Structures are given as structure tokens and as C-alpha cells.
Amino acid sequence: MKPQRSLPGTPVTNPLKHFPIDLRTSMDGKYKEIAEELFTRSLTESEMRTAPYEFPEDSPIEQLEERRQRLERQISQDIKLEPEILLRAKQEFMKIDSDADLELMNQEGGVDRTDDGWMKERVLPMEREYQRVSISGEEKCGVPFTDLVDAAKCVVKALFIREKYIALSMQNFCKTTARELGELGEKPLDLRIYEEIPETPVDADAPVHPPVSETHPYENQVTKNMPADTGYSCKMVDGVMHVYTKKSPMEKSTELDLPYPDLKEYIADMNVMMALIINGPVKSFCYRRLQYLSSKFQMHILLNEMKELAAQKQVPHRDFYNIRKVDTHIHASSCMNQKHLLRFIKRAMKKYPGEIVHMEHGRGQTLMEVFENMNLTAFDLSVDTLDMHADRNTFHRFDKFNAKYNPIGESILREIFIKTDNHIEGKYFGHMIKEVMADLEESKYQNVELRLSIYGRSRDEWDKLAQWAVKHQVYSDNVRWLIQVPRLFDVYRTKKQLANFQEMMENIFMPLFEVTINPRSHPELHLFLQHVVGFDSVDDESKPEHHIFNMDSPLPADWTEEDNPPYSYYLYYTYANMTVLNHLRRRRGFHTLVLRPHCGEAGPVHHLVSGFILSENISHGLLLRKAPVLQYLYYLAQIGIAMSPLSNNSLFLSYHRNPLPEYLARGLMVSLSTDDPLQFHFTKVSAQWCSEPLMEEYSIATQVWKLSSCDMCELARNSVLMSGFSHKAKSYWLGPKYSKEGPESNDIRRTNVPDIRVAYRSETLLEELNLITHAVHTKELDNIDEEDTLSMAPVGAEGH
């Protein structure tokens, strides 16, 4: 097959277009000749020497290899004569995979010849050195043009909605998608842009390992050296925080202009998205595009897999084991495995038997007394006794899975060993986390984003969490924190711990606003927040929701019933407060936070709609397999999806039905993560063999789905890209140009991902975006009927 050499977006002329002959008749003869030749050849070989699907021994691959070996022998004989020219010739020959490549290079001037006939070096751009699949003809998408235009308008509308919310909250939106949308003539959003916090530049030849700070970030921190008080005040109004320039927020004129989308706007956009995902023609169009993306990737692998493998082999030192990986979804309370927890409990019983660890009816209990009350000794304990591993009984039973967090089924042991807020101030939990951190640091290449909980039951939760981190010095360059907010308002309301939903939101966000306004008011929290990258929203998504979020829904101050608010209600108020907080933090020169909730693991599909509008990344995303429109939108927007197949296998979806390989083939931004090693994994975190639970995920996925080395490295690169680590750290791990588009962003010496794969992903995304935006260009955006709920009115970031 002669490779097509067209650039992305350039139509390829079909040579058969001007010959109105019966294609089947003209090709039948050729097929017959080839079949007869192969059949004759197979008879001359020894009987059944090779399977019928193997290559014949004199295949073009072997002929090419023979020519290559012949040239190498010639070079070895003549190397003394002209070593430089011959060496360059050998290097150039290694880049040529076929006569077609050689012919093309001659035509384009890619190879010059000296007087003696040898080639001299001229390097082609790497992204052009692979075979592309291109579609010719007028209707490339396989649907009538009118259907394409209608579907494209809907898709573009959805992308504009996401861009508005993501830009307003200062989260990251895909650069390629943003540029293509910008060409549709929309006015840029008024984001009240502040000066970016300057990043330390990284040289192109910088080492892979970022420099480690010599001093601990929590040591010798003096409160008076922290940023000063601004004198602002804050107050929650209708569930969203408002900031005022004076201590007394009585005067309306003193309110700071910190924008967020109001409730009416969000409800309207949700309605547009819900109408879009159930639109029949749009569903059909998106399904066809997704099928096309799957088929195109399979063709890409058939044509270029050997080239990708060869590119990886040429990289010195680098392989899958020593490229950066980030566990993008893992909970701190279960980041160790059962054996680690068991050994730690036994050590604690021997080392601190008389330490008071729990208060019962006003009387202190020692660790030994706690176990004596259970009739257990250190010798009796085993992994089976702990009983913390998810099994077949947890499938579709999230309640049983939550109970597995209790060692030996005792909630008191959970409180003592894996809680930050207890009688011993989280001492044991801090020690265990630090052991995990030490192993990660020794392995060098593994990093994690641990989730810690803020429940919203009281105002001092943030201070207690920060004091735990600072007191026990729970910090590592390999670890960043996300704050997970369990959706448990109904539980707290039933227990009379909260009066209304607004009180929960105040408990979560008021300390964050106070420490941003005056870092000296919560010094430990100010230090801790420097390593927090975002928010997560967690709980069982399969719980039935009895309320539909709309304009008739009670405001947070009026939500006093014991029913839990719906998922979208939680997400909107978390997002709105985070958006205001980000604008305030940017004014002060502090880093901003992102929203990365559990989304689409189970439950209704509209959870994924909320995630699409409001979140930078999500975790799980299993339900996208049932929603082709949303899956296509997640692809076009390149929304990160942290997937945990082993976790899903125990809770909601059998491993062989997991859509991860399908998502990866189509080009969605997916990564592998562990979720809960304590419940799902058997291997430990080991310095000798790196982070074993994460490697367990990779190894099982590779065996079950037959992933290639390139696939594994692509997943690892995705995990770094979607993680919350700093721009500086990513510049060291992926290369200084990682934030650019296309193969220019890739440094194979650091990522071990071939430029071919990165170029394919970039060009395919660009082609899909071009298809959509070109169709919209052909019609005026305002021509869509207003009665069709998918209006294309200009999108702007409105304030409150």
C-alpha cells in the first residue's frame, strides 16, 4: 500500500473518481491473480509448514530486512574508506521502510546524493514519517449534509457551554478545541484575566528529575512572613460566597466583582445539554463518528505499529518502568494494601500498647484494651481476619463496600488507624501515609494524588486536617492532595448535625476564603493548601435521586428536608464557590483549584452532563459507553477520565466489559488508576519494583486487552497531563514543550511515547474538529430555530 501523504484537513483526490467503470469487475482479476499466486506458493512449501494467516517467508518485510543486512555488511567492509558518509548513509537507511518512502524522499528532496551515489543526511519531520488513513469524497462523514450541519451545530453549542464554564473557573480547556471554536467568530470570554503566576523556565536539556527542595515545606515557617491581611470580609448568600472590601459587608457597593454563573444560567445550560444528548439524529451522528474513530485507530495500528515499536527501541535508557506515572484517582485512607496495614497494626500493638487511643464514655482506652475487648492478640491477626478486601458480595452493593473500610468489621479500628481526626490526632494514619510516601520517593517515577475528606459538618475540619499534615510532616514531592466532599447531607441532617445545606457549604468554603483573605488567620491551612490541587465529590452514584434540580428547587438555605440534594445540585454549588474562590486566590497570587469529581460510575447519565459542563477531569466515566453524544463530546473536549477497571470489576462492571480499551482506541484522554489498593489490590508499594498497585492495574490491563508498550506509555503520559502537579514538574517529566499541540509537545526521551502516536492523536482530533466547525461555517449560527432548544446564541460569561 502506498502511503497517503496529505496534510491534515487537505482532501485527497480519488484517482478512480473520473473513471465510471465497474470497480468490482476491474478488481476481480487482480484478486484472482493474487489468490492463485499465494495458493501456488503455499503448495511449494512443505506441507502445512506455516499457518495460513502467517506471512510467507519471502514477504516484503523479509526482503527489506535482507537488503538492510546487505547494506550493513557493505558498510562494515568499507567503513575505513569514508566513515562519516557511510555512517550517515546507514542512519538514513534505517529510517526508510519501503521503496515508496525512498521514492517520495527523492521526489521531495528528502534525500540528496553525493557524487559517489551515497545518501547524505536530511531529516524529515517526524510527524510525517508514518502512514495515514484519509477519506476522500464530498460527504466524508457518511450522513447527508443537512444532518451533518444540524448535528455539528448541536455539538459546537455544547462545546461552547463547556468552554464558558471551564474558562470562568480558571480550569484547563483543550487548546486545540479552543482554537477551532475561536475561528467560528465568537467573542472571547470576559474572564477578568489576572496576571499569570510566573513559572520557572525549564531548559530543553533539563534532567528528567525536578530539583528537590532542601528544606521541608512545613518546617521553620514563621507566621509573620506569610502574606498580609487584605481586610476583606465574606458572607454566603444563596449558597454562594460573596466577598466585600470592608470588614462589615453591609454596604452592597463594597462587594468585589468575583464572577460565577448564576443558577438560572446553569439550569438553562443543563436543559440544553439534556435535550442534546437525547436528540436522535445527533446520537446517530456521534455514534458513527465514534465507530469511525475506533476503525481508524485499528487501521493506524496495522500500518504503523512496527514503526512505533522501532521508535521506542531507539530511545536509550527509557522504558515503561522508568517513565513518570501518576495515580490520578486514589483515596488516602486506602492507599496501602492489606498486608501493609496488618503489619502496621501489629507493630503499633507491640510499640504503643499502653497509649490511650480512644475515649469511651468519658474514659480513655489503651490500644491493648481495645483489642482485648475484641478478644484478639497480635498473633491472632491475619489478612483474612482484617477482611477488608472487596469480593463478590460487594458487586452492586456499595453499602457492603463501605463497610470493608472497617478493619475486622470494627469502626473503632477505622477511627484509630485510618482517620486524621481522632484522639491521637491521626498519628498512626500519618505514619502509614509517610511509609507509602517513602517508598514512592525511592521508586522515583511513581506519583499519587491522594484524596482526603472534608465532610462539612463543622467549621474547624480544615484546621484539624491542616494541623495533622503539618504536625506529622505528611508531605512528599511525589504526592498532591485532592479534597473529597462526601455527598452525605441527608445523614448529617437526620442526626441534627446540620440545619440546612447552606451550613454545609459554609463549613466547607468559609475557612478557604478566610485563609485566602488573611493567611495568618489559619497558618497551617495556608501551608497545607499549597499542595492541594482540587476538589472531588464522592458517594454511591447509584442511590436513587428523588429530586430534579430546576428553578423550583429550594435554595441551599431553604434545603432543610432530610432528602439528599441531587448530584447536579452538589456539583453546581461546589463549582460556584470554587469559581469565586479561584478569582480571589488569583488576585492574591495564589494557585487556583480544579473540580475533578467521581462521575459516571453508576446512576443516571445526567451526572456526566454536570461533569462535562463544570469539571476539568472526572473519575470512572463508565456510563459514557451508553451515551454516544457525551462520549463524543468528552473526546472533542479531551476531558481527562481516570479509570479503575479492578475497582469497577468488584463494584459495578465486570472487567471484560470495561470500556477503557475502547476509549483509548478512540482517543479519549484516559488514564489508569487504583482507586482503593486496600480493597482491590494484592501487591504492595515497594521501592524495588515501584508502585505495585498501579503496576498491577497496568499489567492486568495489558494482559487482558493485549495493550502494546506504546499504549501503556500513552496511558502513563495521559496520567501526568491530567494530574494536578505543577507546570514546572510536568516540564521536567514530559519535556519543556509539553503544553504545546501535536508532536512538538512530545519528548520521547522522557515519555517513551513515539511522535507517531502523538501526531496521530493530534491530527485525528483536528480532523474531527474541522469536520464539525466547517459544517457550522456553512450556515449562519443564528439560523437555528429558537423553538429548537439547542439555540446557538453567542455564549458569554455572565456575572452574578
Side-chain angles (χ1 to χ4, degrees):
M1 172 183 288
K2 185 173 179 178
Q4 295 282 6
R5 293 284 173 168
S6 63
L7 294 175
T10 306
V12 178
T13 305
N14 185 350
L16 298 176
K17 184 176 180 181
H18 304 293
F19 298 95
I21 58 176
D22 186 351
L23 186 60
R24 182 183 178 89
T25 304
S26 63
M27 294 302 292
D28 275 349
K30 280 286 184 187
Y31 290 148
K32 184 178 179 181
E33 288 178 19
I34 295 171
E36 288 178 352
E37 182 182 349
L38 287 174
F39 186 70
T40 306
R41 188 180 299 166
S42 65
L43 290 178
T44 60
E45 302 292 337
S46 59
E47 284 293 320
M48 298 301 292
R49 179 177 176 183
T50 59
Y53 50 80
E54 291 181 356
F55 285 112
E57 287 195 3
D58 55 347
S59 67
I61 296 175
E62 294 203 356
Q63 292 174 4
L64 177 64
E65 189 64 30
E66 185 181 344
R67 289 205 310 274
R68 183 171 292 169
Q69 291 173 359
R70 205 162 49 233
L71 179 66
E72 286 182 357
R73 287 197 298 270
Q74 181 68 35
I75 289 174
S76 63
Q77 293 170 5
D78 298 343
I79 194 69
K80 296 178 182 178
L81 302 176
E82 295 179 277
E84 289 186 12
I85 295 177
L86 291 170
L87 184 59
R88 285 202 302 270
K90 177 181 177 181
Q91 292 171 345
E92 192 64 45
F93 187 82
M94 292 303 181
K95 296 178 183 176
I96 301 172
D97 282 5
S98 66
D99 291 334
D101 279 339
L102 183 59
E103 180 184 345
L104 181 81
M105 292 175 71
N106 279 324
Q107 291 172 356
E108 298 184 356
V111 176
D112 289 345
R113 294 184 180 275
T114 56
D115 293 337
D116 58 0
W118 285 104
M119 295 176 289
K120 69 179 182 181
E121 184 176 22
R122 180 178 294 180
V123 180
L124 279 171
M126 183 61 192
E127 66 271 18
R128 298 189 63 189
E129 293 184 358
Y130 74 96
Q131 291 183 303
R132 291 168 171 82
V133 178
S134 59
I135 308 297
S136 61
E138 294 180 0
E139 294 183 359
K140 296 182 181 181
C141 65
V143 298
F145 185 71
T146 53
D147 289 356
L148 168 62
V149 172
D150 291 343
K153 288 176 181 177
C154 296
V155 170
V156 166
K157 172 65 174 175
L159 291 172
F160 273 127
I161 289 175
R162 172 173 169 80
E163 184 183 33
K164 173 179 65 173
Y165 284 87
I166 295 301
L168 190 63
S169 57
M170 299 183 180
Q171 300 182 85
N172 292 314
F173 189 80
C174 175
K175 284 185 176 180
T176 306
T177 309
R179 190 185 68 250
E180 292 299 308
L181 292 179
E183 293 179 0
L184 290 177
E186 292 289 327
K187 294 181 180 178
L189 300 174
D190 176 18
L191 301 178
R192 287 82 165 176
I193 293 296
Y194 311 98
E195 290 187 12
E196 290 285 342
I197 300 173
E199 293 280 2
T200 307
V202 177
D203 296 332
D205 59 349
V208 174
H209 301 294
V212 180
S213 56
E214 297 179 0
T215 59
H216 196 285
Y218 296 153
E219 286 181 349
N220 304 320
Q221 293 288 345
V222 183
T223 303
K224 67 179 181 180
N225 293 335
M226 294 180 179
D229 185 3
T230 59
Y232 296 164
S233 63
C234 53
K235 179 183 178 183
M236 184 164 281
V237 180
D238 294 338
V240 181
M241 203 69 74
H242 293 242
V243 182
Y244 305 87
T245 56
K246 295 183 180 179
K247 288 292 183 184
S248 174
M250 299 303 293
E251 301 178 30
K252 185 72 174 176
S253 60
T254 64
E255 184 178 347
L256 281 179
D257 184 19
L258 302 176
Y260 69 94
D262 65 20
L263 184 57
K264 184 178 180 181
E265 183 181 5
Y266 172 69
I267 298 287
D269 288 334
M270 277 288 290
N271 290 339
V272 169
M273 290 295 302
M274 293 302 294
L276 188 152
I277 66 171
I278 63 171
N279 182 296
V282 179
K283 284 170 69 175
S284 297
F285 170 78
C286 293
Y287 174 78
R288 296 173 77 95
R289 297 314 300 168
L290 291 170
Q291 292 296 99
Y292 164 74
L293 289 172
S294 295
S295 302
K296 185 176 182 183
F297 181 71
Q298 296 307 318
M299 185 64 73
H300 169 80
I301 293 301
L302 285 172
L303 296 173
N304 298 294
E305 187 173 21
M306 292 300 106
K307 287 189 177 184
E308 290 180 344
L309 182 60
Q312 287 184 305
K313 288 181 177 179
Q314 290 174 5
V315 180
H317 177 67
R318 196 67 53 209
D319 56 36
F320 171 71
Y321 289 93
N322 59 14
I323 58 173
R324 297 286 173 175
K325 307 170 198 70
V326 179
D327 195 338
T328 45
H329 173 204
I330 177 172
H331 301 274
S333 58
S334 58
C335 66
M336 72 298 292
N337 79 328
Q338 287 189 92
K339 194 69 176 175
H340 184 176
L341 178 61
L342 175 67
R343 287 175 175 167
F344 186 88
I345 291 175
K346 288 186 173 184
R347 284 206 311 270
M349 290 174 70
K350 292 177 181 177
K351 194 173 181 180
Y352 310 108
E355 185 171 20
I356 296 177
V357 296
H358 181 66
M359 297 298 292
E360 188 74 29
H361 303 301
R363 175 184 169 275
Q365 280 187 317
T366 65
L367 188 60
M368 187 59 68
E369 289 173 342
V370 168
F371 279 93
E372 284 176 352
N373 291 340
M374 300 176 192
N375 295 320
L376 283 173
T377 65
F379 180 78
D380 296 327
L381 289 177
S382 68
V383 165
D384 292 334
T385 313
L386 284 183
D387 189 28
M388 301 186 74
H389 213 272
D391 53 29
R392 68 182 70 177
N393 296 315
T394 60
F395 196 67
H396 284 282
R397 286 297 302 273
F398 209 83
D399 55 336
K400 288 191 174 184
F401 167 70
N402 275 337
K404 290 288 185 180
Y405 273 92
N406 299 320
I408 323 176
E410 298 285 346
S411 59
I412 184 175
L413 293 183
R414 178 179 184 176
E415 179 190 329
I416 293 170
F417 286 101
I418 54 178
K419 288 281 187 182
T420 60
D421 180 18
N422 53 27
H423 186 72
I424 53 175
E425 299 177 330
K427 172 183 172 182
Y428 295 160
F429 186 45
H431 280 219
M432 256 189 298
I433 296 291
K434 289 174 73 175
E435 288 177 5
V436 172
M437 288 176 168
D439 287 334
L440 288 169
E441 289 168 2
E442 194 164 347
S443 72
K444 296 181 183 178
Y445 297 98
Q446 278 65 46
N447 307 272
V448 296
E449 294 182 312
L450 297 176
R451 269 77 171 160
L452 290 170
S453 294
I454 291 291
Y455 299 93
R457 289 175 296 195
S458 64
R459 194 69 63 86
D460 62 354
E461 288 179 10
W462 276 105
D463 286 328
K464 288 181 179 179
L465 182 61
Q467 287 162 8
W468 166 79
V470 173
K471 178 180 180 179
H472 301 294
Q473 296 191 340
V474 187
Y475 168 81
S476 170
D477 287 329
N478 294 62
V479 175
R480 289 296 177 267
W481 305 104
L482 276 97
I483 300 302
Q484 63 182 26
V485 180
R487 298 187 299 278
L488 297 175
F489 170 78
D490 54 338
V491 177
Y492 309 145
R493 181 72 185 108
T494 303
K495 294 180 178 180
K496 309 297 183 187
Q497 293 175 326
L498 294 173
N500 52 51
F501 188 78
Q502 179 160 302
E503 185 181 347
M504 182 177 178
M505 287 289 106
E506 281 183 340
N507 292 339
I508 294 169
F509 284 99
M510 186 66 79
L512 298 179
F513 278 85
E514 289 173 354
V515 74
T516 303
I517 290 169
N518 180 15
R520 301 175 189 181
S521 63
H522 304 267
E524 292 94 349
L525 182 54
H526 175 70
L527 294 175
F528 177 67
L529 278 180
Q530 293 174 18
H531 313 292
V532 174
V533 299
F535 292 96
D536 194 350
S537 178
V538 298
D539 195 26
D540 179 9
E541 285 190 72
S542 63
K543 284 181 182 177
E545 295 181 355
H546 304 294
H547 183 91
I548 298 175
F549 188 23
N550 53 36
M551 290 305 297
D552 297 327
S553 301
L555 291 170
D558 301 323
W559 194 291
T560 56
E561 54 192 283
E562 294 182 357
D563 284 344
N564 210 25
Y567 181 93
S568 53
Y569 193 95
Y570 272 100
L571 224 60
Y572 167 73
Y573 284 105
T574 302
Y575 166 88
N577 283 289
M578 185 193 77
T579 299
V580 178
L581 179 65
N582 279 347
H583 282 272
L584 180 62
R585 289 182 66 81
R586 181 59 62 85
R587 281 184 178 230
R588 299 230 59 192
F590 302 152
H591 79 280
T592 55
L593 304 171
V594 300
L595 182 59
R596 292 167 53 184
H598 284 51
C599 185
E601 183 179 19
V605 74
H606 67 73
H607 293 188
L608 285 163
V609 176
S610 301
F612 174 80
I613 295 176
L614 304 177
S615 309
E616 180 173 292
N617 298 335
I618 65 167
S619 297
H620 295 301
L622 296 179
L623 292 177
L624 286 175
R625 75 189 199 281
K626 296 182 177 180
V629 178
L630 280 173
Q631 189 181 147
Y632 190 55
L633 288 171
Y634 270 71
Y635 165 70
L636 293 177
Q638 287 292 285
I639 301 173
I641 308 171
M643 304 192 72
S644 308
L646 288 178
S647 166
N648 302 144
N649 183 61
S650 294
L651 285 172
F652 290 110
L653 189 70
S654 298
Y655 201 97
H656 69 279
R657 295 181 59 202
N658 195 288
L660 186 144
E662 191 175 65
Y663 291 177
L664 177 64
R666 290 170 176 173
L668 278 79
M669 175 71 74
V670 293
S671 68
L672 272 172
S673 57
T674 57
D675 198 352
D676 297 284
L678 183 62
Q679 276 81 14
F680 304 122
H681 298 78
F682 291 91
T683 49
K684 72 183 289 289
V685 175
S686 153
Q688 289 77 21
W689 293 99
C690 63
S691 179
E692 291 291 341
L694 187 58
M695 294 303 293
E696 199 173 326
E697 287 284 352
Y698 275 97
S699 61
I700 293 174
T702 301
Q703 293 293 337
V704 173
W705 295 319
K706 296 179 174 59
L707 302 181
S708 68
S709 171
C710 183
D711 295 333
M712 297 165 71
C713 293
E714 184 180 16
L715 287 168
R717 180 176 181 264
N718 286 348
S719 74
V720 176
L721 287 171
M722 72 172 70
S723 73
F725 282 86
S726 68
H727 169 72
K728 182 179 179 181
K730 292 180 182 180
S731 297
Y732 280 101
W733 296 345
L734 303 180
K737 298 180 179 179
Y738 83 92
S739 59
K740 295 184 179 295
E741 299 175 49
E744 185 185 2
S745 66
N746 185 50
D747 184 349
I748 190 173
R749 299 169 300 172
R750 300 168 195 250
T751 65
N752 205 40
V753 179
D755 287 352
I756 291 173
R757 177 64 63 89
V758 179
Y760 168 78
R761 295 296 189 200
S762 175
E763 291 172 14
T764 303
L765 175 62
L766 201 57
E767 287 170 7
E768 291 298 311
L769 289 168
N770 281 337
L771 175 70
I772 300 299
T773 54
H774 179 71
V776 174
H777 264 306
T778 60
K779 301 281 185 179
E780 291 297 327
L781 291 180
D782 297 329
N783 283 352
I784 301 181
D785 295 334
E786 284 298 324
E787 59 188 31
D788 182 2
T789 54
L790 309 178
S791 166
M792 286 296 298
V795 180
E798 297 179 12
H800 51 284

